[in-house]
Amino acid sequence: MKILSVVGARPQFVKLAPIAHAMADAGVEHVIVHTGQHYDHAMSDSFFEELGIPAPDENLTVGSGTHGRQTGAMLAAMDEALEKHQPDWVLVYGDTNSTLAGTLSAVKMHIPLAHLEAGLRSFNRRMPEEHNRVLTDHAADLCLAPTQVAMEHLAAEGITDRAVLVGDVMTDVLYQVRDRVASMPLDLPVEGAYRVATLHRADNTDSPEQLGTIISELAALPTPTLLLAHPRLRAKAAEFGISLDQGSITPMDPLPYPQLVRAVMGSAGVITDSGGLQKEAFLLRVPCTTVRTETEWVETVRLGWNRLVTDPATLAADVDRPAPEPTDAAPYGDGHAAARVVEVLQEKLPR
Ligand code: UD1
């Protein structure tokens, strides 16, 4: 069996790591196609190096662009990669433009398509990720769902016989890295208690009012905040004349994955608009405040470990809240999802 993984953006490299290792353990031939959506060392190569992922077999080097141009460039280049490798399955991950391009190319070439992290919904059609994941789930031959809630979303859209609950592969990689870095000393430019923040979504970065309010709220927090700045955040802040280096904020470049996990483990809290980081904070039992009006990871909110900020002007007050109740709930699986993904791909291989 030959499986071709399509990845391109930072969160996909994290999900690819446990899958690549499980494929190797099972002796499955695995081809990795990197679309080139993310290309900075800190956004791409560092994940391959730090997580022991084999170098991509193909890099489509599409780079940045508007959604249509970026997705279109990937789609054009993807056909060639699929023709060359003729996989038994194309495996796409999550909800980025790289996911959608891999999906369209595979479906049009009649290659069986599996979607990892299927069934997540924000129900916010302004988000490019929501279009990408809905379209991918409806095109896929196999929807690999991370949670029971995701299975329910798929069922509500009539996708039942193509859906399998496998658990969340981000739990696999997080637990492995957590154990590896637990004894690593903290190497951060702050003393004492601190928080970790990330911001990259267009809804937060692309309006001067929204971004200005979020940055002022972070700056006003009594505890230092390490702001791990995505390239888009830096570019937009510079464009709007908003300094990231103010008040209690210490801006930094994005961290490699193990250092990020270590930084979150040692922190008093996380403030983010990232999908993955909300869940990583929960799995490490660090309180999270999410600068979005909805989340795909509703379990983190229900269990009291995540709070959504509907008005950015209340961010500092939302962050400064009592500690959540301890919980041993495990909605994101047991850390062995990747091995199940490979088993299911073997079982369901269309003949
Ligand atoms: C993408 C995903 C998002 C995911 C995020 C993780 C889509 C629609 N969105 O958003 O779901 O949460 O990745 O980071 O696919 N840039 C660089 N260097 C890079 C990559 C990007 O400078 O290596 C800058 C460019 O100015 C680019 C901007 O960041 O235009 C946005 O990058 P893009 O890949 O379009 O989307 P993300 O915001 O990273």
Side-chain angles (χ1 to χ4, degrees):
M1 183 171 71
K2 188 198 278 190
I3 298 173
L4 185 147
S5 284
V6 178
V7 291
R10 185 169 55 174
Q12 294 169 323
F13 310 138
V14 176
K15 292 163 202 164
L16 172 64
I19 293 287
H21 297 141
M23 300 266 193
D25 290 347
V28 170
E29 192 180 351
H30 187 208
V31 175
I32 299 174
V33 175
H34 187 323
T35 62
Q37 177 171 351
H38 286 173
Y39 42 85
D40 288 352
H41 183 268
M43 301 285 288
S44 174
D45 292 358
S46 107
F47 288 81
F48 284 80
E49 292 158 10
E50 300 275 351
L51 297 175
I53 308 169
D57 298 273
E58 308 289 340
N59 192 322
L60 311 182
T61 62
V62 298
S64 306
T66 61
H67 290 290
R69 287 196 189 94
Q70 186 182 54
T71 311
M74 290 174 195
L75 185 52
M78 192 81 66
D79 280 4
E80 246 173 79
L82 298 192
E83 268 160 18
K84 175 173 164 192
H85 291 283
Q86 300 282 332
D88 296 302
W89 280 110
V90 168
L91 180 61
V92 293
Y93 299 65
D95 53 23
T96 73
N97 291 341
S98 298
T99 315
L100 183 61
T103 295
L104 292 175
S105 188
V107 164
K108 296 207 174 285
M109 292 177 70
H110 309 295
I111 302 175
L113 175 73
H115 182 205
L116 185 79
E117 213 178 66
L120 294 183
R121 296 290 181 267
S122 67
F123 301 102
N124 175 357
R125 286 295 184 116
R126 278 187 52 83
M127 289 175 64
E129 292 81 4
E130 185 75 353
H131 324 145
N132 291 342
R133 57 171 87 98
V134 169
L135 293 168
T136 297
D137 283 339
H138 283 262
D141 299 283
L142 181 59
C143 288
L144 300 161
T147 61
Q148 190 53 45
V149 169
M151 288 295 282
E152 287 159 20
H153 291 151
L154 291 168
E157 294 172 25
I159 303 172
T160 45
D161 51 345
R162 296 184 279 124
V164 181
L165 178 62
V166 286
D168 192 328
V169 299
M170 282 184 72
T171 306
D172 301 19
V173 62
L174 183 77
Y175 284 175
Q176 285 159 19
V177 170
R178 176 195 63 187
D179 296 343
R180 176 147 63 91
V181 302
S183 55
M184 200 165 96
L186 274 176
D187 180 18
L188 297 169
V190 282
E191 295 287 320
Y194 65 93
R195 294 192 175 88
V196 173
T198 75
L199 277 180
H200 73 275
R201 281 189 199 279
D203 276 355
N204 286 330
T205 58
D206 291 10
S207 127
E209 293 75 30
Q210 179 84 4
L211 183 58
T213 307
I214 295 171
I215 296 299
S216 307
E217 289 285 305
L218 291 179
L221 283 168
T223 313
T225 297
L226 296 173
L227 178 57
L228 310 178
H230 182 287
R232 175 201 261 124
L233 171 63
R234 284 208 193 266
K236 288 292 173 186
E239 184 185 327
F240 303 145
I242 298 170
S243 167
L244 298 180
D245 197 356
Q246 52 169 299
S248 52
I249 302 175
T250 301
M252 292 174 67
D253 286 337
L255 287 170
Y257 188 74
Q259 281 81 338
L260 170 77
V261 172
R262 182 67 191 92
V264 171
M265 282 167 80
S267 75
V270 164
I271 302 155
T272 191
D273 61 5
S274 148
L277 192 51
Q278 296 169 48
K279 199 174 48 190
E280 284 154 351
F282 170 75
L283 290 169
L284 296 169
R285 296 300 189 269
V286 171
C288 183
T289 307
T290 298
V291 196
R292 282 179 54 193
T293 47
E294 70 287 307
T295 179
E296 298 79 14
W297 306 109
V298 290
E299 303 84 358
T300 59
V301 175
R302 282 185 199 145
L303 291 162
W305 285 78
N306 189 8
R307 177 179 291 188
L308 299 175
V309 179
T310 44
D311 174 0
T314 67
L315 174 58
D318 284 315
V319 168
D320 189 18
R321 63 183 192 269
E325 286 295 312
T327 174
D328 54 10
Y332 305 118
D334 56 6
H336 297 99
R340 273 198 291 281
V341 167
V342 177
E343 272 167 33
V344 173
L345 288 169
Q346 282 169 323
E347 260 168 48
K348 305 264 181 190
L349 182 65
R351 312 233 169 240

mmCIF file of all heavy atoms in Angstrom, residues 59-89:
data_model
loop_
_atom_site.group_PDB
_atom_site.id
_atom_site.type_symbol
_atom_site.label_atom_id
_atom_site.label_comp_id
_atom_site.label_asym_id
_atom_site.label_seq_id
_atom_site.Cartn_x
_atom_site.Cartn_y
_atom_site.Cartn_z
ATOM 1 N N ASN A 59 8.271 19.130 -3.280
ATOM 2 C CA ASN A 59 7.883 20.431 -2.740
ATOM 3 C C ASN A 59 7.365 21.274 -3.895
ATOM 4 O O ASN A 59 8.086 21.529 -4.858
ATOM 5 C CB ASN A 59 9.056 21.125 -2.038
ATOM 6 C CG ASN A 59 8.574 22.330 -1.236
ATOM 7 O OD1 ASN A 59 7.680 23.051 -1.665
ATOM 8 N ND2 ASN A 59 9.139 22.529 -0.062
ATOM 9 N N LEU A 60 6.104 21.664 -3.806
ATOM 10 C CA LEU A 60 5.464 22.369 -4.918
ATOM 11 C C LEU A 60 5.791 23.875 -4.897
ATOM 12 O O LEU A 60 5.415 24.581 -5.832
ATOM 13 C CB LEU A 60 3.947 22.153 -4.887
ATOM 14 C CG LEU A 60 3.476 20.688 -4.729
ATOM 15 C CD1 LEU A 60 1.952 20.610 -4.752
ATOM 16 C CD2 LEU A 60 4.057 19.789 -5.815
ATOM 17 N N THR A 61 6.438 24.330 -3.827
ATOM 18 C CA THR A 61 6.947 25.718 -3.670
ATOM 19 C C THR A 61 5.963 26.804 -4.150
ATOM 20 O O THR A 61 6.342 27.711 -4.871
ATOM 21 C CB THR A 61 8.313 25.905 -4.391
ATOM 22 O OG1 THR A 61 8.152 25.673 -5.789
ATOM 23 C CG2 THR A 61 9.378 24.970 -3.843
ATOM 24 N N VAL A 62 4.715 26.694 -3.727
ATOM 25 C CA VAL A 62 3.740 27.694 -4.206
ATOM 26 C C VAL A 62 3.825 29.014 -3.451
ATOM 27 O O VAL A 62 3.483 30.057 -4.003
ATOM 28 C CB VAL A 62 2.276 27.191 -4.131
ATOM 29 C CG1 VAL A 62 2.056 25.995 -5.010
ATOM 30 C CG2 VAL A 62 1.868 26.918 -2.708
ATOM 31 N N GLY A 63 4.220 29.020 -2.176
ATOM 32 C CA GLY A 63 4.335 30.264 -1.418
ATOM 33 C C GLY A 63 2.993 30.914 -1.120
ATOM 34 O O GLY A 63 1.950 30.262 -1.177
ATOM 35 N N SER A 64 3.031 32.208 -0.803
ATOM 36 C CA SER A 64 1.826 32.925 -0.355
ATOM 37 C C SER A 64 1.062 33.517 -1.531
ATOM 38 O O SER A 64 1.586 33.610 -2.640
ATOM 39 C CB SER A 64 2.228 34.042 0.604
ATOM 40 O OG SER A 64 3.006 33.542 1.662
ATOM 41 N N GLY A 65 -0.175 33.939 -1.263
ATOM 42 C CA GLY A 65 -1.000 34.581 -2.295
ATOM 43 C C GLY A 65 -2.416 34.697 -1.780
ATOM 44 O O GLY A 65 -2.709 34.260 -0.667
ATOM 45 N N THR A 66 -3.310 35.248 -2.580
ATOM 46 C CA THR A 66 -4.717 35.257 -2.181
ATOM 47 C C THR A 66 -5.177 33.795 -2.124
ATOM 48 O O THR A 66 -4.526 32.907 -2.695
ATOM 49 C CB THR A 66 -5.586 35.994 -3.214
ATOM 50 O OG1 THR A 66 -5.454 35.298 -4.464
ATOM 51 C CG2 THR A 66 -5.153 37.442 -3.389
ATOM 52 N N HIS A 67 -6.307 33.554 -1.478
ATOM 53 C CA HIS A 67 -6.753 32.166 -1.318
ATOM 54 C C HIS A 67 -6.892 31.454 -2.660
ATOM 55 O O HIS A 67 -6.440 30.327 -2.832
ATOM 56 C CB HIS A 67 -8.085 32.123 -0.554
ATOM 57 C CG HIS A 67 -7.925 32.509 0.874
ATOM 58 N ND1 HIS A 67 -7.281 31.724 1.797
ATOM 59 C CD2 HIS A 67 -8.295 33.629 1.536
ATOM 60 C CE1 HIS A 67 -7.262 32.329 2.972
ATOM 61 N NE2 HIS A 67 -7.867 33.488 2.833
ATOM 62 N N GLY A 68 -7.515 32.141 -3.616
ATOM 63 C CA GLY A 68 -7.742 31.522 -4.918
ATOM 64 C C GLY A 68 -6.439 31.247 -5.650
ATOM 65 O O GLY A 68 -6.221 30.157 -6.178
ATOM 66 N N ARG A 69 -5.564 32.250 -5.659
ATOM 67 C CA ARG A 69 -4.294 32.070 -6.389
ATOM 68 C C ARG A 69 -3.458 30.987 -5.736
ATOM 69 O O ARG A 69 -2.862 30.146 -6.412
ATOM 70 C CB ARG A 69 -3.507 33.376 -6.416
ATOM 71 C CG ARG A 69 -4.125 34.382 -7.344
ATOM 72 C CD ARG A 69 -3.173 35.526 -7.676
ATOM 73 N NE ARG A 69 -3.932 36.533 -8.397
ATOM 74 C CZ ARG A 69 -4.516 37.576 -7.821
ATOM 75 N NH1 ARG A 69 -4.397 37.791 -6.526
ATOM 76 N NH2 ARG A 69 -5.221 38.423 -8.543
ATOM 77 N N GLN A 70 -3.408 31.007 -4.410
ATOM 78 C CA GLN A 70 -2.577 30.021 -3.705
ATOM 79 C C GLN A 70 -3.129 28.607 -3.933
ATOM 80 O O GLN A 70 -2.385 27.688 -4.283
ATOM 81 C CB GLN A 70 -2.575 30.361 -2.210
ATOM 82 C CG GLN A 70 -1.636 29.513 -1.390
ATOM 83 C CD GLN A 70 -1.725 29.858 0.092
ATOM 84 O OE1 GLN A 70 -2.819 29.832 0.663
ATOM 85 N NE2 GLN A 70 -0.602 30.175 0.698
ATOM 86 N N THR A 71 -4.441 28.448 -3.771
ATOM 87 C CA THR A 71 -5.042 27.120 -3.924
ATOM 88 C C THR A 71 -4.914 26.657 -5.377
ATOM 89 O O THR A 71 -4.607 25.480 -5.641
ATOM 90 C CB THR A 71 -6.532 27.156 -3.500
ATOM 91 O OG1 THR A 71 -6.626 27.800 -2.228
ATOM 92 C CG2 THR A 71 -7.120 25.759 -3.385
ATOM 93 N N GLY A 72 -5.123 27.574 -6.313
ATOM 94 C CA GLY A 72 -5.030 27.226 -7.728
ATOM 95 C C GLY A 72 -3.620 26.785 -8.117
ATOM 96 O O GLY A 72 -3.440 25.806 -8.858
ATOM 97 N N ALA A 73 -2.626 27.486 -7.595
ATOM 98 C CA ALA A 73 -1.228 27.130 -7.920
ATOM 99 C C ALA A 73 -0.911 25.732 -7.382
ATOM 100 O O ALA A 73 -0.260 24.915 -8.048
ATOM 101 C CB ALA A 73 -0.277 28.161 -7.326
ATOM 102 N N MET A 74 -1.405 25.435 -6.195
ATOM 103 C CA MET A 74 -1.165 24.101 -5.620
ATOM 104 C C MET A 74 -1.847 23.025 -6.456
ATOM 105 O O MET A 74 -1.286 21.964 -6.709
ATOM 106 C CB MET A 74 -1.769 24.008 -4.213
ATOM 107 C CG MET A 74 -1.082 24.816 -3.173
ATOM 108 S SD MET A 74 -2.109 24.660 -1.696
ATOM 109 C CE MET A 74 -1.454 25.983 -0.729
ATOM 110 N N LEU A 75 -3.066 23.316 -6.854
ATOM 111 C CA LEU A 75 -3.867 22.333 -7.596
ATOM 112 C C LEU A 75 -3.171 21.975 -8.909
ATOM 113 O O LEU A 75 -3.046 20.800 -9.272
ATOM 114 C CB LEU A 75 -5.252 22.941 -7.839
ATOM 115 C CG LEU A 75 -6.330 22.105 -8.475
ATOM 116 C CD1 LEU A 75 -6.507 20.779 -7.752
ATOM 117 C CD2 LEU A 75 -7.651 22.875 -8.452
ATOM 118 N N ALA A 76 -2.675 23.005 -9.603
ATOM 119 C CA ALA A 76 -1.998 22.761 -10.882
ATOM 120 C C ALA A 76 -0.770 21.881 -10.680
ATOM 121 O O ALA A 76 -0.529 20.946 -11.458
ATOM 122 C CB ALA A 76 -1.595 24.098 -11.503
ATOM 123 N N ALA A 77 -0.018 22.160 -9.606
ATOM 124 C CA ALA A 77 1.224 21.410 -9.390
ATOM 125 C C ALA A 77 0.948 20.014 -8.816
ATOM 126 O O ALA A 77 1.746 19.090 -8.990
ATOM 127 C CB ALA A 77 2.133 22.196 -8.453
ATOM 128 N N MET A 78 -0.168 19.880 -8.131
ATOM 129 C CA MET A 78 -0.480 18.612 -7.445
ATOM 130 C C MET A 78 -0.735 17.475 -8.437
ATOM 131 O O MET A 78 -0.339 16.334 -8.205
ATOM 132 C CB MET A 78 -1.729 18.812 -6.584
ATOM 133 C CG MET A 78 -2.009 17.715 -5.607
ATOM 134 S SD MET A 78 -1.001 17.886 -4.136
ATOM 135 C CE MET A 78 -1.675 19.398 -3.497
ATOM 136 N N ASP A 79 -1.407 17.793 -9.543
ATOM 137 C CA ASP A 79 -1.723 16.750 -10.527
ATOM 138 C C ASP A 79 -0.466 15.971 -10.913
ATOM 139 O O ASP A 79 -0.478 14.749 -10.969
ATOM 140 C CB ASP A 79 -2.328 17.371 -11.794
ATOM 141 C CG ASP A 79 -3.808 17.690 -11.623
ATOM 142 O OD1 ASP A 79 -4.314 17.492 -10.508
ATOM 143 O OD2 ASP A 79 -4.435 18.141 -12.602
ATOM 144 N N GLU A 80 0.600 16.726 -11.159
ATOM 145 C CA GLU A 80 1.862 16.087 -11.581
ATOM 146 C C GLU A 80 2.393 15.136 -10.514
ATOM 147 O O GLU A 80 2.842 14.033 -10.821
ATOM 148 C CB GLU A 80 2.905 17.169 -11.802
ATOM 149 C CG GLU A 80 3.343 17.301 -13.226
ATOM 150 C CD GLU A 80 4.244 18.507 -13.372
ATOM 151 O OE1 GLU A 80 5.423 18.397 -13.023
ATOM 152 O OE2 GLU A 80 3.720 19.553 -13.825
ATOM 153 N N ALA A 81 2.323 15.600 -9.246
ATOM 154 C CA ALA A 81 2.840 14.768 -8.145
ATOM 155 C C ALA A 81 2.016 13.485 -8.025
ATOM 156 O O ALA A 81 2.560 12.394 -7.820
ATOM 157 C CB ALA A 81 2.808 15.551 -6.841
ATOM 158 N N LEU A 82 0.699 13.593 -8.186
ATOM 159 C CA LEU A 82 -0.145 12.399 -8.055
ATOM 160 C C LEU A 82 0.060 11.453 -9.242
ATOM 161 O O LEU A 82 0.106 10.229 -9.084
ATOM 162 C CB LEU A 82 -1.620 12.788 -7.930
ATOM 163 C CG LEU A 82 -2.003 13.630 -6.712
ATOM 164 C CD1 LEU A 82 -3.514 13.692 -6.544
ATOM 165 C CD2 LEU A 82 -1.380 13.113 -5.430
ATOM 166 N N GLU A 83 0.212 12.041 -10.434
ATOM 167 C CA GLU A 83 0.488 11.204 -11.622
ATOM 168 C C GLU A 83 1.799 10.444 -11.442
ATOM 169 O O GLU A 83 1.896 9.257 -11.749
ATOM 170 C CB GLU A 83 0.613 12.085 -12.872
ATOM 171 C CG GLU A 83 -0.697 12.270 -13.605
ATOM 172 C CD GLU A 83 -0.669 13.496 -14.520
ATOM 173 O OE1 GLU A 83 0.425 14.000 -14.847
ATOM 174 O OE2 GLU A 83 -1.774 13.945 -14.876
ATOM 175 N N LYS A 84 2.787 11.128 -10.919
ATOM 176 C CA LYS A 84 4.102 10.513 -10.767
ATOM 177 C C LYS A 84 4.063 9.371 -9.742
ATOM 178 O O LYS A 84 4.612 8.302 -9.983
ATOM 179 C CB LYS A 84 5.106 11.590 -10.327
ATOM 180 C CG LYS A 84 6.494 11.075 -10.018
ATOM 181 C CD LYS A 84 7.443 12.235 -9.760
ATOM 182 C CE LYS A 84 8.705 11.757 -9.069
ATOM 183 N NZ LYS A 84 9.498 12.872 -8.557
ATOM 184 N N HIS A 85 3.392 9.589 -8.608
ATOM 185 C CA HIS A 85 3.505 8.614 -7.508
ATOM 186 C C HIS A 85 2.389 7.573 -7.495
ATOM 187 O O HIS A 85 2.535 6.524 -6.850
ATOM 188 C CB HIS A 85 3.564 9.345 -6.166
ATOM 189 C CG HIS A 85 4.844 10.110 -5.991
ATOM 190 N ND1 HIS A 85 6.024 9.498 -5.677
ATOM 191 C CD2 HIS A 85 5.129 11.429 -6.129
ATOM 192 C CE1 HIS A 85 6.994 10.412 -5.604
ATOM 193 N NE2 HIS A 85 6.471 11.592 -5.886
ATOM 194 N N GLN A 86 1.250 7.840 -8.144
ATOM 195 C CA GLN A 86 0.157 6.868 -8.241
ATOM 196 C C GLN A 86 -0.138 6.174 -6.905
ATOM 197 O O GLN A 86 -0.042 4.948 -6.790
ATOM 198 C CB GLN A 86 0.516 5.781 -9.276
ATOM 199 C CG GLN A 86 0.766 6.295 -10.675
ATOM 200 C CD GLN A 86 -0.528 6.619 -11.420
ATOM 201 O OE1 GLN A 86 -1.566 6.019 -11.137
ATOM 202 N NE2 GLN A 86 -0.480 7.553 -12.327
ATOM 203 N N PRO A 87 -0.517 6.942 -5.877
ATOM 204 C CA PRO A 87 -0.754 6.320 -4.561
ATOM 205 C C PRO A 87 -2.070 5.541 -4.502
ATOM 206 O O PRO A 87 -2.966 5.764 -5.323
ATOM 207 C CB PRO A 87 -0.820 7.527 -3.628
ATOM 208 C CG PRO A 87 -1.327 8.632 -4.498
ATOM 209 C CD PRO A 87 -0.761 8.393 -5.860
ATOM 210 N N ASP A 88 -2.174 4.667 -3.486
ATOM 211 C CA ASP A 88 -3.450 3.977 -3.231
ATOM 212 C C ASP A 88 -4.409 4.883 -2.470
ATOM 213 O O ASP A 88 -5.623 4.742 -2.591
ATOM 214 C CB ASP A 88 -3.189 2.714 -2.399
ATOM 215 C CG ASP A 88 -2.350 1.715 -3.169
ATOM 216 O OD1 ASP A 88 -2.796 1.311 -4.256
ATOM 217 O OD2 ASP A 88 -1.242 1.383 -2.710
ATOM 218 N N TRP A 89 -3.855 5.746 -1.642
ATOM 219 C CA TRP A 89 -4.654 6.743 -0.910
ATOM 220 C C TRP A 89 -3.934 8.087 -0.985
ATOM 221 O O TRP A 89 -2.711 8.139 -0.824
ATOM 222 C CB TRP A 89 -4.720 6.429 0.586
ATOM 223 C CG TRP A 89 -5.658 5.399 1.075
ATOM 224 C CD1 TRP A 89 -5.330 4.183 1.580
ATOM 225 C CD2 TRP A 89 -7.085 5.518 1.209
ATOM 226 N NE1 TRP A 89 -6.453 3.526 2.004
ATOM 227 C CE2 TRP A 89 -7.547 4.323 1.783
ATOM 228 C CE3 TRP A 89 -8.017 6.509 0.883
ATOM 229 C CZ2 TRP A 89 -8.895 4.086 2.052
ATOM 230 C CZ3 TRP A 89 -9.356 6.284 1.143
ATOM 231 C CH2 TRP A 89 -9.790 5.077 1.721
#
